[in-house]
């Protein structure tokens, strides 16, 4: 194929992915604005890659795995991450002079990084994924070079590339959570910390409600696991579902003395208004 034909094939490839997303959005269970968010992630990695290449730096400096990791954590769906990885790898390979081996290298590292951070709950797991991806990129280049080690600096760059990508993801994840108006498992796990100010208030001011919320959390988590729902989200929701009782905790049964109730001295109308 001529150079013009090869460059022209990239938009057609992206168009085919767009059509796939359009008709499979129901099966992917995406939110209304998710496609725009996916486009934003794609534009970011392509723009950064184009800038790095135009400045004369090696393509190996491109922190490619940032986007697959982010998309997996934010959307919690491997299929979405796979498609954006494929689109990004093909586009960057085209921008860098139709470098087939670069596209393969990024595709391998992108798929692996997506799998490693699926359902991640701790930031250290993301960092560990960066080390594994960096080593895998080095190994992939070793195979691509037919088991020859020429220019060892490239192997060092790829190792550091994987580690740096994971560090970048940990740093910018809260920003994208805010922009996309979503809450990841990492943030949900932080909300289960019993040192959270709201939970600390509940322990001191409404201990009965606090105990009730823990029980509901255990039940919700078990039920969610049984039906394949998000167990962590159910647990967090249960912990905070009665947080409004902190306003007047003594008006609710679980926080009252077993022998007397404050409602005994109130009319039904007043009790209703308070609750």
């Amino acid at each position: 194929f001529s150079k013009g034909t090869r460059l022209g094939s990239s938009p057609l490839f992206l168009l085919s992915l767009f059509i796939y997303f359009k008709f499979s959005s129901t099966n992917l269970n995406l939110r209304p604005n998710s496609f725009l968010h996916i486009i934003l992630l794609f534009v970011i990695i392509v723009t950064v890659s184009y800038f790095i290449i135009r400045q004369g730096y090696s393509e190996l400096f491109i922190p490619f795995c940032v986007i697959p990791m982010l998309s997996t954590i934010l959307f919690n769906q491997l299929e979405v991450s796979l498609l954006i990885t494929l689109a990004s790898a093909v586009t960057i390979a085209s921008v860098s002079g139709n470098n087939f081996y670069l596209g393969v290298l990024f595709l391998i590292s992108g798929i692996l990084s997506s799998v490693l951070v699926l359902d991640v709950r701790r930031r250290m797991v993301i960092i560990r994924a960066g080390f594994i991806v960096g080593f895998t990129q080095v190994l992939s280049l070793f195979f691509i070079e037919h088991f020859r080690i020429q220019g060892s600096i490239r192997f060092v760059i790829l190792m550091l590339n994987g580690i740096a990508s994971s560090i970048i993801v940990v740093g910018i994840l809260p920003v994208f959570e805010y922009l996309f108006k979503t809450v990841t498992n990492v943030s949900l796990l932080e909300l289960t910390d019993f040192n959270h100010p709201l939970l600390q208030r509940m322990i001191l001011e409404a201990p009965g409600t606090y105990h009730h919320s823990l029980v509901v959390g255990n039940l919700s988590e078990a039920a969610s696991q049984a039906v394949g729902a998000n167990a962590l989200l159910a647990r967090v929701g249960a912990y905070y579902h009665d947080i409004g009782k902190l306003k007047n905790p003594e008006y609710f049964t679980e926080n009252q003395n077993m022998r007397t109730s404050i409602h005994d001295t109130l009319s039904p109308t007043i009790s209703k208004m308070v609750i």
Side-chain angles (χ1 to χ4, degrees), residues 4-146:
T5 303
R6 288 180 303 202
L7 290 175
S9 63
S10 293
L12 292 176
F13 174 73
L14 295 176
L15 178 62
S16 66
L17 288 182
F18 171 82
I19 294 173
Y20 178 85
F21 265 120
K22 192 70 175 176
F23 286 95
S24 65
S25 59
T26 305
N27 297 329
L28 291 175
N29 197 25
L30 297 174
R31 293 178 298 172
N33 293 329
S34 292
F35 188 70
L36 294 177
H37 298 158
I38 293 170
I39 292 178
L40 175 61
L41 293 175
F42 173 76
V43 169
I44 289 174
I45 188 60
V46 172
T47 302
V48 171
S49 302
Y50 180 77
F51 177 79
I52 291 175
I53 295 171
R54 288 284 293 179
Q55 292 298 314
Y57 296 107
S58 170
E59 297 90 345
L60 302 182
F61 282 104
I62 298 173
F64 181 82
C65 292
V66 168
I67 297 305
M69 287 184 183
L70 272 180
S71 57
T72 301
I73 296 172
L74 291 169
F75 300 106
N76 203 32
Q77 295 191 45
L78 276 179
E79 188 172 13
V80 173
S81 180
L82 173 61
L83 290 173
I84 193 172
T85 299
L86 183 60
S88 301
V90 170
T91 304
I92 294 172
S94 177
V95 171
S96 60
N98 298 295
N99 190 332
F100 171 76
Y101 293 111
L102 180 68
V104 171
L105 177 66
F106 282 161
L107 188 60
I108 292 172
S109 60
I111 292 174
L112 178 62
S113 61
S114 299
V115 173
L116 290 174
V117 299
L118 182 64
D119 293 325
V120 65
R121 294 188 177 188
R122 299 185 183 278
R123 301 184 193 277
M124 268 311 300
V125 176
I126 301 176
I127 301 297
R128 184 181 64 188
F131 278 90
I132 297 174
V133 168
F135 176 77
T136 303
Q137 289 183 147
V138 170
L139 192 62
S140 299
L141 182 61
F142 181 67
F143 280 104
I144 290 174
E145 295 287 341
H146 302 291

Side-chain angles (χ1 to χ4, degrees), residues 76 121 183 185 188 220-221 224-225 228-235:
N76 203 32
R121 294 188 177 188
V183 180
N185 287 341
L188 286 175
S220 301
E221 185 175 43
S224 297
Q225 290 173 344
N230 190 330
L232 180 59
L233 179 61
R235 172 177 284 276

Side-chain angles (χ1 to χ4, degrees), residues 102-256:
L102 180 68
V104 171
L105 177 66
F106 282 161
L107 188 60
I108 292 172
S109 60
I111 292 174
L112 178 62
S113 61
S114 299
V115 173
L116 290 174
V117 299
L118 182 64
D119 293 325
V120 65
R121 294 188 177 188
R122 299 185 183 278
R123 301 184 193 277
M124 268 311 300
V125 176
I126 301 176
I127 301 297
R128 184 181 64 188
F131 278 90
I132 297 174
V133 168
F135 176 77
T136 303
Q137 289 183 147
V138 170
L139 192 62
S140 299
L141 182 61
F142 181 67
F143 280 104
I144 290 174
E145 295 287 341
H146 302 291
F147 311 105
R148 295 193 302 269
I149 303 178
Q150 297 178 349
S152 57
I153 186 64
R154 293 184 301 161
F155 293 92
V156 175
I157 291 173
L158 282 178
M159 186 66 201
L160 295 177
N161 183 303
I163 299 172
S165 295
S166 63
I167 295 174
I168 293 172
V169 170
V170 171
I172 66 176
L173 182 59
V175 177
F176 281 91
E177 285 186 277
Y178 175 78
L179 292 176
F180 293 0
K181 294 184 177 4
T182 186
V183 180
T184 65
N185 287 341
V186 176
S187 295
L188 286 175
L189 196 63
E190 291 174 352
L191 290 173
T192 63
D193 184 1
F194 294 137
N195 290 318
H196 190 284
L198 274 177
L199 293 181
Q200 283 290 301
R201 278 191 59 194
M202 190 184 291
I203 293 173
L204 297 174
E205 300 175 26
T209 300
Y210 172 76
H211 179 264
H212 160 72
S213 298
L214 293 184
V215 173
V216 174
N218 292 333
L219 292 173
S220 301
E221 185 175 43
S224 297
Q225 290 173 344
V227 299
N230 190 330
L232 180 59
L233 179 61
R235 172 177 284 276
V236 173
Y239 282 177
Y240 294 90
H241 81 285
D242 268 346
I243 205 69
K245 292 182 179 180
L246 284 174
K247 183 69 175 177
N248 292 298
E250 68 277 5
Y251 282 82
F252 297 92
T253 305
E254 65 269 22
N255 301 311
Q256 294 173 355

